[in-house]
Amino acid sequence: MTTQSQALAPTQNTLMAAISNPGALGTIEAYIAAVNRLPVLTQAQETELGKRLRDHEDLDAARQLILSHLRLVVSISRQYLGYGLAHADLIQEGNIGLMKAVKRFDPERGVRLVSFAVHWIKAEIHEYIVRNWRMVKVATTKAQRKLFFNLRRMRPDGQTLDPSQVADIAQELNVRPEDVSEMEVRLSGREMALEAPADDEDAYAPVSYLSDEGRQEPSQVLERRAHDTLQGPALAEALEGLDARSRHIVESRWLRDEGGATLHELADEYGISAERVRQIEAAAFKKLKVALAH
């Protein structure tokens, strides 16, 4: 190892450990400063390392290719700071794209790794932004993604687009005008909590006005339907399967409109103990449960 390589080794080892978490060096500024101190490979060095990785799966060659292009990820990630996401997170996702590019790099195609890696780095950052910019995903189709990353730049002063501007943008990006209008609405909207904060009792949240009092929720409809079924023919048929004493005890205890009979009242009626009445009732409930389940 040369003297220069020996001097850089601690920095390189630290950076390799920090690739998945750029903030691990203390601050993002410290990471960027360390990245910018790394030497840039010549084309001949890059070709040699690429062949070693391709032909021999040389991980040290892959490490050197990755480290020499970390500054590229930092540069590209700066273009996406306007989306309100942490710079360290953008760099982290870009580093993943860089590693994918290094893995697929063919040194004999005559293309420098820097040109090949730009696509992979941007693709990973784009995916991360679309996935995390809002709680609700705003772009899923190819046309929506294209609009998401271009519409803010193309809107004059962020103002609402008129029909002619919508048509111009749609033509330039080769998408439908209705796609432009839909994405404009999505970008202009903002997220809102469904419920008010727990410490603000006076807040008026969407949960207060989104429910339709004229309609029951599906769970309430199913509950009412089940209740009606149990109160109707199904229950009458299940009761018919009980012996006369068990049916009388259940009806007296639970199916009267007025107050039901007590265990002791039924015990006196049948000349048995209250505990025996409870046992008969429990056995009757088991039979009713089986009958009503069919």
Side-chain angles (χ1 to χ4, degrees):
M1 182 179 292
T2 65
T3 303
Q4 182 184 18
S5 298
Q6 289 174 341
L8 288 171
T11 301
Q12 292 181 351
N13 292 336
T14 303
L15 280 172
M16 286 303 295
I19 282 178
S20 61
N21 182 13
L25 290 181
T27 64
I28 189 62
E29 290 76 16
Y31 174 85
I32 294 174
V35 162
N36 289 332
R37 288 197 298 268
L38 293 172
V40 178
L41 297 174
T42 65
Q43 185 169 2
Q45 291 172 323
E46 187 178 287
T47 301
E48 178 189 354
L49 292 170
K51 289 180 179 179
R52 282 167 50 187
L53 175 60
R54 183 195 63 189
D55 300 336
H56 307 291
E57 298 184 357
D58 189 332
L59 295 183
D60 183 64
R63 178 181 63 84
Q64 294 185 58
L65 288 170
I66 291 171
L67 287 172
S68 67
H69 288 81
L70 290 178
R71 68 181 68 206
L72 173 64
V73 176
V74 171
S75 176
I76 293 175
S77 66
R78 285 197 180 102
Q79 302 172 21
Y80 300 95
L81 292 177
Y83 291 95
L85 299 173
H87 194 188
D89 292 338
L90 295 173
I91 292 175
Q92 175 180 321
E93 296 301 316
N95 286 342
I96 294 174
L98 173 61
M99 289 186 280
K100 290 181 177 180
V102 168
K103 182 178 180 180
R104 293 165 174 80
F105 178 57
D106 186 347
E108 294 185 347
R109 288 192 174 184
V111 178
R112 293 295 299 269
L113 177 57
V114 63
S115 301
F116 180 70
V118 166
H119 164 76
W120 290 94
I121 295 169
K122 286 187 175 181
E124 289 297 322
I125 293 177
H126 284 187
E127 179 61 30
Y128 174 75
I129 293 174
V130 169
R131 198 170 59 243
N132 294 277
W133 186 63
R134 290 269 180 85
M135 186 177 296
V136 178
K137 202 167 184 178
V138 296
T140 54
T141 67
K142 184 177 180 180
Q144 288 174 345
R145 286 170 179 259
K146 186 186 299 185
L147 283 164
F148 178 79
F149 289 104
N150 288 280
L151 189 56
R152 292 200 308 173
R153 171 181 58 82
M154 301 175 73
R155 281 196 299 180
D157 301 324
Q159 299 299 316
T160 302
L161 299 173
D162 59 40
S164 62
Q165 291 171 327
V166 169
D168 291 341
I169 293 174
Q171 183 176 4
E172 181 175 346
L173 297 179
N174 193 27
V175 297
R176 300 179 305 169
E178 50 265 36
D179 291 333
V180 177
S181 299
E182 181 182 354
M183 184 54 66
E184 182 185 19
V185 172
R186 293 189 182 192
L187 292 177
S188 300
R190 64 184 181 87
E191 292 177 343
M192 180 182 295
L194 181 62
E195 296 182 345
D199 57 351
D200 189 355
E201 297 180 357
D202 297 328
Y204 191 58
V207 71
S208 304
Y209 57 80
L210 286 179
S211 61
D212 185 352
E213 300 298 336
R215 296 177 180 270
Q216 290 184 329
E217 295 293 331
S219 59
Q220 295 175 329
V221 173
L222 292 175
E223 183 180 350
R224 170 57 59 184
R225 188 178 301 167
H227 180 270
D228 291 343
T229 299
L230 293 179
Q231 292 295 327
L235 179 59
E237 184 177 348
L239 288 170
E240 289 296 327
L242 300 177
D243 62 82
R245 184 172 63 172
S246 298
R247 184 169 64 252
H248 177 67
I249 290 174
V250 171
E251 290 176 343
S252 298
R253 289 267 292 154
W254 304 104
L255 299 180
R256 289 180 178 176
D257 292 334
E258 64 278 2
T262 66
L263 292 176
H264 291 284
E265 290 173 344
L266 291 169
D268 293 340
E269 181 178 346
Y270 285 104
I272 56 179
S273 66
E275 174 60 23
R276 179 56 184 155
V277 174
R278 189 197 62 77
Q279 292 173 355
I280 295 172
E281 179 185 67
F285 280 151
K286 288 182 180 181
K287 292 180 180 179
L288 287 175
K289 183 178 179 179
V290 172
L292 291 171
H294 292 91

PDB file of all heavy atoms in Angstrom, residues 49-50 52-55 57-59 61-63 65-66 95-107 113 116-117 120:
ATOM      1  N   LEU A  49     -10.344  -1.330 -12.101  1.00  0.00           N
ATOM      2  CA  LEU A  49     -11.158  -1.747 -10.956  1.00  0.00           C
ATOM      3  C   LEU A  49     -12.457  -2.406 -11.414  1.00  0.00           C
ATOM      4  O   LEU A  49     -12.913  -3.388 -10.826  1.00  0.00           O
ATOM      5  CB  LEU A  49     -11.465  -0.538 -10.071  1.00  0.00           C
ATOM      6  CG  LEU A  49     -10.280   0.072  -9.330  1.00  0.00           C
ATOM      7  CD1 LEU A  49     -10.666   1.405  -8.689  1.00  0.00           C
ATOM      8  CD2 LEU A  49      -9.757  -0.892  -8.271  1.00  0.00           C
ATOM      9  N   GLY A  50     -13.051  -1.884 -12.482  1.00  0.00           N
ATOM     10  CA  GLY A  50     -14.273  -2.472 -13.010  1.00  0.00           C
ATOM     11  C   GLY A  50     -14.063  -3.890 -13.496  1.00  0.00           C
ATOM     12  O   GLY A  50     -14.918  -4.765 -13.303  1.00  0.00           O
ATOM     13  N   ARG A  52     -11.695  -5.955 -12.437  1.00  0.00           N
ATOM     14  CA  ARG A  52     -11.457  -6.801 -11.264  1.00  0.00           C
ATOM     15  C   ARG A  52     -12.768  -7.195 -10.591  1.00  0.00           C
ATOM     16  O   ARG A  52     -12.951  -8.339 -10.156  1.00  0.00           O
ATOM     17  CB  ARG A  52     -10.560  -6.068 -10.274  1.00  0.00           C
ATOM     18  CG  ARG A  52      -9.077  -6.067 -10.650  1.00  0.00           C
ATOM     19  CD  ARG A  52      -8.300  -5.067  -9.819  1.00  0.00           C
ATOM     20  NE  ARG A  52      -8.558  -5.202  -8.379  1.00  0.00           N
ATOM     21  CZ  ARG A  52      -8.094  -4.340  -7.475  1.00  0.00           C
ATOM     22  NH1 ARG A  52      -7.386  -3.279  -7.864  1.00  0.00           N
ATOM     23  NH2 ARG A  52      -8.348  -4.531  -6.186  1.00  0.00           N
ATOM     24  N   LEU A  53     -13.693  -6.244 -10.525  1.00  0.00           N
ATOM     25  CA  LEU A  53     -14.996  -6.546  -9.919  1.00  0.00           C
ATOM     26  C   LEU A  53     -15.797  -7.489 -10.795  1.00  0.00           C
ATOM     27  O   LEU A  53     -16.388  -8.464 -10.306  1.00  0.00           O
ATOM     28  CB  LEU A  53     -15.774  -5.244  -9.701  1.00  0.00           C
ATOM     29  CG  LEU A  53     -17.214  -5.391  -9.191  1.00  0.00           C
ATOM     30  CD1 LEU A  53     -17.239  -6.094  -7.841  1.00  0.00           C
ATOM     31  CD2 LEU A  53     -17.882  -4.034  -9.091  1.00  0.00           C
ATOM     32  N   ARG A  54     -15.810  -7.232 -12.087  1.00  0.00           N
ATOM     33  CA  ARG A  54     -16.604  -8.058 -13.006  1.00  0.00           C
ATOM     34  C   ARG A  54     -16.056  -9.467 -13.127  1.00  0.00           C
ATOM     35  O   ARG A  54     -16.813 -10.449 -13.093  1.00  0.00           O
ATOM     36  CB  ARG A  54     -16.636  -7.390 -14.382  1.00  0.00           C
ATOM     37  CG  ARG A  54     -17.489  -8.125 -15.409  1.00  0.00           C
ATOM     38  CD  ARG A  54     -17.197  -7.635 -16.809  1.00  0.00           C
ATOM     39  NE  ARG A  54     -15.793  -7.921 -17.168  1.00  0.00           N
ATOM     40  CZ  ARG A  54     -15.201  -7.458 -18.263  1.00  0.00           C
ATOM     41  NH1 ARG A  54     -15.869  -6.662 -19.089  1.00  0.00           N
ATOM     42  NH2 ARG A  54     -13.934  -7.754 -18.529  1.00  0.00           N
ATOM     43  N   ASP A  55     -14.751  -9.601 -13.259  1.00  0.00           N
ATOM     44  CA  ASP A  55     -14.146 -10.900 -13.554  1.00  0.00           C
ATOM     45  C   ASP A  55     -13.844 -11.720 -12.303  1.00  0.00           C
ATOM     46  O   ASP A  55     -13.841 -12.952 -12.349  1.00  0.00           O
ATOM     47  CB  ASP A  55     -12.849 -10.710 -14.360  1.00  0.00           C
ATOM     48  CG  ASP A  55     -13.099 -10.010 -15.693  1.00  0.00           C
ATOM     49  OD1 ASP A  55     -14.245 -10.087 -16.185  1.00  0.00           O
ATOM     50  OD2 ASP A  55     -12.165  -9.387 -16.224  1.00  0.00           O
ATOM     51  N   GLU A  57     -15.028 -10.666  -8.918  1.00  0.00           N
ATOM     52  CA  GLU A  57     -15.868 -10.267  -7.797  1.00  0.00           C
ATOM     53  C   GLU A  57     -15.032  -9.693  -6.655  1.00  0.00           C
ATOM     54  O   GLU A  57     -15.219 -10.017  -5.485  1.00  0.00           O
ATOM     55  CB  GLU A  57     -16.730 -11.439  -7.301  1.00  0.00           C
ATOM     56  CG  GLU A  57     -17.711 -11.952  -8.353  1.00  0.00           C
ATOM     57  CD  GLU A  57     -18.631 -13.035  -7.819  1.00  0.00           C
ATOM     58  OE1 GLU A  57     -18.461 -13.412  -6.635  1.00  0.00           O
ATOM     59  OE2 GLU A  57     -19.511 -13.484  -8.572  1.00  0.00           O
ATOM     60  N   ASP A  58     -14.097  -8.833  -7.034  1.00  0.00           N
ATOM     61  CA  ASP A  58     -13.174  -8.221  -6.088  1.00  0.00           C
ATOM     62  C   ASP A  58     -13.913  -7.128  -5.300  1.00  0.00           C
ATOM     63  O   ASP A  58     -14.215  -6.062  -5.833  1.00  0.00           O
ATOM     64  CB  ASP A  58     -11.988  -7.625  -6.859  1.00  0.00           C
ATOM     65  CG  ASP A  58     -10.879  -7.156  -5.929  1.00  0.00           C
ATOM     66  OD1 ASP A  58     -11.179  -6.784  -4.781  1.00  0.00           O
ATOM     67  OD2 ASP A  58      -9.709  -7.152  -6.362  1.00  0.00           O
ATOM     68  N   LEU A  59     -14.190  -7.393  -4.049  1.00  0.00           N
ATOM     69  CA  LEU A  59     -14.937  -6.439  -3.229  1.00  0.00           C
ATOM     70  C   LEU A  59     -14.130  -5.183  -2.916  1.00  0.00           C
ATOM     71  O   LEU A  59     -14.699  -4.101  -2.720  1.00  0.00           O
ATOM     72  CB  LEU A  59     -15.389  -7.104  -1.929  1.00  0.00           C
ATOM     73  CG  LEU A  59     -16.395  -8.256  -2.086  1.00  0.00           C
ATOM     74  CD1 LEU A  59     -16.808  -8.787  -0.720  1.00  0.00           C
ATOM     75  CD2 LEU A  59     -17.617  -7.798  -2.874  1.00  0.00           C
ATOM     76  N   ALA A  61     -12.177  -3.735  -5.038  1.00  0.00           N
ATOM     77  CA  ALA A  61     -12.361  -2.907  -6.229  1.00  0.00           C
ATOM     78  C   ALA A  61     -13.705  -2.188  -6.170  1.00  0.00           C
ATOM     79  O   ALA A  61     -13.807  -0.998  -6.493  1.00  0.00           O
ATOM     80  CB  ALA A  61     -12.266  -3.772  -7.484  1.00  0.00           C
ATOM     81  N   ALA A  62     -14.738  -2.910  -5.751  1.00  0.00           N
ATOM     82  CA  ALA A  62     -16.058  -2.288  -5.610  1.00  0.00           C
ATOM     83  C   ALA A  62     -16.008  -1.168  -4.586  1.00  0.00           C
ATOM     84  O   ALA A  62     -16.605  -0.093  -4.777  1.00  0.00           O
ATOM     85  CB  ALA A  62     -17.080  -3.336  -5.198  1.00  0.00           C
ATOM     86  N   ARG A  63     -15.293  -1.379  -3.476  1.00  0.00           N
ATOM     87  CA  ARG A  63     -15.184  -0.357  -2.428  1.00  0.00           C
ATOM     88  C   ARG A  63     -14.550   0.915  -2.977  1.00  0.00           C
ATOM     89  O   ARG A  63     -15.033   2.024  -2.733  1.00  0.00           O
ATOM     90  CB  ARG A  63     -14.345  -0.900  -1.268  1.00  0.00           C
ATOM     91  CG  ARG A  63     -14.132   0.092  -0.136  1.00  0.00           C
ATOM     92  CD  ARG A  63     -13.269  -0.530   0.963  1.00  0.00           C
ATOM     93  NE  ARG A  63     -11.951  -0.852   0.447  1.00  0.00           N
ATOM     94  CZ  ARG A  63     -10.945   0.030   0.366  1.00  0.00           C
ATOM     95  NH1 ARG A  63     -11.122   1.278   0.763  1.00  0.00           N
ATOM     96  NH2 ARG A  63      -9.771  -0.331  -0.096  1.00  0.00           N
ATOM     97  N   LEU A  65     -14.413   1.930  -6.110  1.00  0.00           N
ATOM     98  CA  LEU A  65     -15.309   2.570  -7.075  1.00  0.00           C
ATOM     99  C   LEU A  65     -16.407   3.351  -6.367  1.00  0.00           C
ATOM    100  O   LEU A  65     -16.764   4.463  -6.772  1.00  0.00           O
ATOM    101  CB  LEU A  65     -15.917   1.513  -8.006  1.00  0.00           C
ATOM    102  CG  LEU A  65     -14.966   0.890  -9.032  1.00  0.00           C
ATOM    103  CD1 LEU A  65     -15.623  -0.309  -9.706  1.00  0.00           C
ATOM    104  CD2 LEU A  65     -14.556   1.923 -10.084  1.00  0.00           C
ATOM    105  N   ILE A  66     -16.951   2.780  -5.315  1.00  0.00           N
ATOM    106  CA  ILE A  66     -18.017   3.454  -4.558  1.00  0.00           C
ATOM    107  C   ILE A  66     -17.491   4.708  -3.886  1.00  0.00           C
ATOM    108  O   ILE A  66     -18.066   5.799  -4.002  1.00  0.00           O
ATOM    109  CB  ILE A  66     -18.621   2.490  -3.524  1.00  0.00           C
ATOM    110  CG1 ILE A  66     -19.403   1.369  -4.212  1.00  0.00           C
ATOM    111  CG2 ILE A  66     -19.536   3.250  -2.553  1.00  0.00           C
ATOM    112  CD1 ILE A  66     -19.838   0.257  -3.283  1.00  0.00           C
ATOM    113  N   ASN A  95     -26.724   6.665  -2.167  1.00  0.00           N
ATOM    114  CA  ASN A  95     -25.626   5.708  -2.032  1.00  0.00           C
ATOM    115  C   ASN A  95     -26.067   4.301  -2.417  1.00  0.00           C
ATOM    116  O   ASN A  95     -25.292   3.524  -2.984  1.00  0.00           O
ATOM    117  CB  ASN A  95     -25.102   5.715  -0.598  1.00  0.00           C
ATOM    118  CG  ASN A  95     -24.280   6.959  -0.285  1.00  0.00           C
ATOM    119  OD1 ASN A  95     -23.828   7.654  -1.191  1.00  0.00           O
ATOM    120  ND2 ASN A  95     -24.090   7.245   0.987  1.00  0.00           N
ATOM    121  N   ILE A  96     -27.314   3.973  -2.103  1.00  0.00           N
ATOM    122  CA  ILE A  96     -27.840   2.667  -2.515  1.00  0.00           C
ATOM    123  C   ILE A  96     -27.873   2.571  -4.036  1.00  0.00           C
ATOM    124  O   ILE A  96     -27.489   1.553  -4.624  1.00  0.00           O
ATOM    125  CB  ILE A  96     -29.247   2.455  -1.923  1.00  0.00           C
ATOM    126  CG1 ILE A  96     -29.179   2.363  -0.402  1.00  0.00           C
ATOM    127  CG2 ILE A  96     -29.888   1.191  -2.507  1.00  0.00           C
ATOM    128  CD1 ILE A  96     -30.532   2.304   0.270  1.00  0.00           C
ATOM    129  N   GLY A  97     -28.315   3.659  -4.688  1.00  0.00           N
ATOM    130  CA  GLY A  97     -28.317   3.674  -6.142  1.00  0.00           C
ATOM    131  C   GLY A  97     -26.917   3.555  -6.711  1.00  0.00           C
ATOM    132  O   GLY A  97     -26.697   2.868  -7.722  1.00  0.00           O
ATOM    133  N   LEU A  98     -25.940   4.218  -6.076  1.00  0.00           N
ATOM    134  CA  LEU A  98     -24.547   4.131  -6.523  1.00  0.00           C
ATOM    135  C   LEU A  98     -24.044   2.693  -6.434  1.00  0.00           C
ATOM    136  O   LEU A  98     -23.377   2.200  -7.360  1.00  0.00           O
ATOM    137  CB  LEU A  98     -23.673   5.058  -5.678  1.00  0.00           C
ATOM    138  CG  LEU A  98     -22.161   4.961  -5.906  1.00  0.00           C
ATOM    139  CD1 LEU A  98     -21.810   5.307  -7.349  1.00  0.00           C
ATOM    140  CD2 LEU A  98     -21.402   5.874  -4.932  1.00  0.00           C
ATOM    141  N   MET A  99     -24.338   2.014  -5.348  1.00  0.00           N
ATOM    142  CA  MET A  99     -23.890   0.627  -5.197  1.00  0.00           C
ATOM    143  C   MET A  99     -24.518  -0.276  -6.249  1.00  0.00           C
ATOM    144  O   MET A  99     -23.868  -1.195  -6.770  1.00  0.00           O
ATOM    145  CB  MET A  99     -24.204   0.134  -3.779  1.00  0.00           C
ATOM    146  CG  MET A  99     -23.318   0.764  -2.712  1.00  0.00           C
ATOM    147  SD  MET A  99     -23.549   0.080  -1.061  1.00  0.00           S
ATOM    148  CE  MET A  99     -25.024   0.948  -0.553  1.00  0.00           C
ATOM    149  N   LYS A 100     -25.772  -0.032  -6.591  1.00  0.00           N
ATOM    150  CA  LYS A 100     -26.416  -0.812  -7.653  1.00  0.00           C
ATOM    151  C   LYS A 100     -25.736  -0.545  -8.996  1.00  0.00           C
ATOM    152  O   LYS A 100     -25.557  -1.459  -9.808  1.00  0.00           O
ATOM    153  CB  LYS A 100     -27.900  -0.460  -7.739  1.00  0.00           C
ATOM    154  CG  LYS A 100     -28.726  -0.954  -6.570  1.00  0.00           C
ATOM    155  CD  LYS A 100     -30.196  -0.603  -6.736  1.00  0.00           C
ATOM    156  CE  LYS A 100     -31.034  -1.156  -5.593  1.00  0.00           C
ATOM    157  NZ  LYS A 100     -32.476  -0.831  -5.731  1.00  0.00           N
ATOM    158  N   ALA A 101     -25.359   0.716  -9.228  1.00  0.00           N
ATOM    159  CA  ALA A 101     -24.688   1.061 -10.485  1.00  0.00           C
ATOM    160  C   ALA A 101     -23.321   0.387 -10.570  1.00  0.00           C
ATOM    161  O   ALA A 101     -22.940  -0.144 -11.626  1.00  0.00           O
ATOM    162  CB  ALA A 101     -24.540   2.578 -10.588  1.00  0.00           C
ATOM    163  N   VAL A 102     -22.568   0.394  -9.476  1.00  0.00           N
ATOM    164  CA  VAL A 102     -21.248  -0.247  -9.457  1.00  0.00           C
ATOM    165  C   VAL A 102     -21.371  -1.741  -9.743  1.00  0.00           C
ATOM    166  O   VAL A 102     -20.574  -2.322 -10.490  1.00  0.00           O
ATOM    167  CB  VAL A 102     -20.548   0.004  -8.108  1.00  0.00           C
ATOM    168  CG1 VAL A 102     -19.321  -0.888  -7.949  1.00  0.00           C
ATOM    169  CG2 VAL A 102     -20.153   1.467  -7.981  1.00  0.00           C
ATOM    170  N   LYS A 103     -22.383  -2.355  -9.178  1.00  0.00           N
ATOM    171  CA  LYS A 103     -22.588  -3.792  -9.386  1.00  0.00           C
ATOM    172  C   LYS A 103     -22.851  -4.114 -10.854  1.00  0.00           C
ATOM    173  O   LYS A 103     -22.451  -5.170 -11.352  1.00  0.00           O
ATOM    174  CB  LYS A 103     -23.753  -4.268  -8.518  1.00  0.00           C
ATOM    175  CG  LYS A 103     -24.028  -5.760  -8.620  1.00  0.00           C
ATOM    176  CD  LYS A 103     -25.164  -6.162  -7.696  1.00  0.00           C
ATOM    177  CE  LYS A 103     -25.442  -7.660  -7.789  1.00  0.00           C
ATOM    178  NZ  LYS A 103     -26.552  -8.058  -6.880  1.00  0.00           N
ATOM    179  N   ARG A 104     -23.514  -3.215 -11.567  1.00  0.00           N
ATOM    180  CA  ARG A 104     -23.899  -3.462 -12.963  1.00  0.00           C
ATOM    181  C   ARG A 104     -22.937  -2.818 -13.972  1.00  0.00           C
ATOM    182  O   ARG A 104     -23.147  -2.928 -15.172  1.00  0.00           O
ATOM    183  CB  ARG A 104     -25.321  -2.922 -13.197  1.00  0.00           C
ATOM    184  CG  ARG A 104     -26.383  -3.683 -12.423  1.00  0.00           C
ATOM    185  CD  ARG A 104     -27.689  -2.913 -12.393  1.00  0.00           C
ATOM    186  NE  ARG A 104     -28.773  -3.673 -11.787  1.00  0.00           N
ATOM    187  CZ  ARG A 104     -28.950  -3.808 -10.476  1.00  0.00           C
ATOM    188  NH1 ARG A 104     -28.110  -3.222  -9.634  1.00  0.00           N
ATOM    189  NH2 ARG A 104     -29.957  -4.520  -9.996  1.00  0.00           N
ATOM    190  N   PHE A 105     -21.912  -2.168 -13.497  1.00  0.00           N
ATOM    191  CA  PHE A 105     -21.016  -1.418 -14.372  1.00  0.00           C
ATOM    192  C   PHE A 105     -20.175  -2.346 -15.242  1.00  0.00           C
ATOM    193  O   PHE A 105     -19.559  -3.290 -14.762  1.00  0.00           O
ATOM    194  CB  PHE A 105     -20.110  -0.540 -13.518  1.00  0.00           C
ATOM    195  CG  PHE A 105     -19.103   0.256 -14.306  1.00  0.00           C
ATOM    196  CD1 PHE A 105     -19.507   1.120 -15.306  1.00  0.00           C
ATOM    197  CD2 PHE A 105     -17.738   0.131 -14.035  1.00  0.00           C
ATOM    198  CE1 PHE A 105     -18.573   1.858 -16.033  1.00  0.00           C
ATOM    199  CE2 PHE A 105     -16.810   0.862 -14.749  1.00  0.00           C
ATOM    200  CZ  PHE A 105     -17.233   1.729 -15.750  1.00  0.00           C
ATOM    201  N   ASP A 106     -20.165  -2.060 -16.550  1.00  0.00           N
ATOM    202  CA  ASP A 106     -19.334  -2.804 -17.494  1.00  0.00           C
ATOM    203  C   ASP A 106     -18.245  -1.860 -17.999  1.00  0.00           C
ATOM    204  O   ASP A 106     -18.518  -0.937 -18.777  1.00  0.00           O
ATOM    205  CB  ASP A 106     -20.165  -3.311 -18.673  1.00  0.00           C
ATOM    206  CG  ASP A 106     -19.371  -4.209 -19.612  1.00  0.00           C
ATOM    207  OD1 ASP A 106     -18.121  -4.238 -19.481  1.00  0.00           O
ATOM    208  OD2 ASP A 106     -19.973  -4.872 -20.470  1.00  0.00           O
ATOM    209  N   PRO A 107     -16.984  -2.070 -17.607  1.00  0.00           N
ATOM    210  CA  PRO A 107     -15.918  -1.120 -17.949  1.00  0.00           C
ATOM    211  C   PRO A 107     -15.548  -1.115 -19.427  1.00  0.00           C
ATOM    212  O   PRO A 107     -14.834  -0.208 -19.875  1.00  0.00           O
ATOM    213  CB  PRO A 107     -14.742  -1.607 -17.093  1.00  0.00           C
ATOM    214  CG  PRO A 107     -14.999  -3.066 -16.898  1.00  0.00           C
ATOM    215  CD  PRO A 107     -16.492  -3.199 -16.803  1.00  0.00           C
ATOM    216  N   LEU A 113     -18.149   5.542 -15.284  1.00  0.00           N
ATOM    217  CA  LEU A 113     -19.082   5.176 -14.225  1.00  0.00           C
ATOM    218  C   LEU A 113     -19.930   6.370 -13.794  1.00  0.00           C
ATOM    219  O   LEU A 113     -21.113   6.220 -13.468  1.00  0.00           O
ATOM    220  CB  LEU A 113     -18.325   4.604 -13.026  1.00  0.00           C
ATOM    221  CG  LEU A 113     -19.161   4.226 -11.797  1.00  0.00           C
ATOM    222  CD1 LEU A 113     -20.246   3.218 -12.159  1.00  0.00           C
ATOM    223  CD2 LEU A 113     -18.260   3.669 -10.690  1.00  0.00           C
ATOM    224  N   PHE A 116     -22.948   6.542 -15.978  1.00  0.00           N
ATOM    225  CA  PHE A 116     -23.820   5.385 -15.786  1.00  0.00           C
ATOM    226  C   PHE A 116     -24.539   5.461 -14.435  1.00  0.00           C
ATOM    227  O   PHE A 116     -25.707   5.082 -14.309  1.00  0.00           O
ATOM    228  CB  PHE A 116     -22.976   4.114 -15.878  1.00  0.00           C
ATOM    229  CG  PHE A 116     -23.758   2.842 -15.695  1.00  0.00           C
ATOM    230  CD1 PHE A 116     -24.663   2.404 -16.651  1.00  0.00           C
ATOM    231  CD2 PHE A 116     -23.585   2.067 -14.551  1.00  0.00           C
ATOM    232  CE1 PHE A 116     -25.374   1.221 -16.487  1.00  0.00           C
ATOM    233  CE2 PHE A 116     -24.292   0.889 -14.374  1.00  0.00           C
ATOM    234  CZ  PHE A 116     -25.194   0.468 -15.347  1.00  0.00           C
ATOM    235  N   ALA A 117     -23.838   5.979 -13.426  1.00  0.00           N
ATOM    236  CA  ALA A 117     -24.386   5.955 -12.065  1.00  0.00           C
ATOM    237  C   ALA A 117     -25.456   7.006 -11.836  1.00  0.00           C
ATOM    238  O   ALA A 117     -26.296   6.852 -10.937  1.00  0.00           O
ATOM    239  CB  ALA A 117     -23.266   6.142 -11.045  1.00  0.00           C
ATOM    240  N   TRP A 120     -29.005   5.610 -11.758  1.00  0.00           N
ATOM    241  CA  TRP A 120     -29.329   4.763 -10.610  1.00  0.00           C
ATOM    242  C   TRP A 120     -29.465   5.583  -9.336  1.00  0.00           C
ATOM    243  O   TRP A 120     -30.333   5.325  -8.497  1.00  0.00           O
ATOM    244  CB  TRP A 120     -28.256   3.687 -10.439  1.00  0.00           C
ATOM    245  CG  TRP A 120     -28.294   2.668 -11.528  1.00  0.00           C
ATOM    246  CD1 TRP A 120     -27.561   2.664 -12.683  1.00  0.00           C
ATOM    247  CD2 TRP A 120     -29.146   1.531 -11.589  1.00  0.00           C
ATOM    248  NE1 TRP A 120     -27.893   1.576 -13.459  1.00  0.00           N
ATOM    249  CE2 TRP A 120     -28.864   0.857 -12.810  1.00  0.00           C
ATOM    250  CE3 TRP A 120     -30.110   0.997 -10.735  1.00  0.00           C
ATOM    251  CZ2 TRP A 120     -29.521  -0.301 -13.195  1.00  0.00           C
ATOM    252  CZ3 TRP A 120     -30.763  -0.167 -11.106  1.00  0.00           C
ATOM    253  CH2 TRP A 120     -30.476  -0.797 -12.314  1.00  0.00           C
TER     254      TRP A 120
END
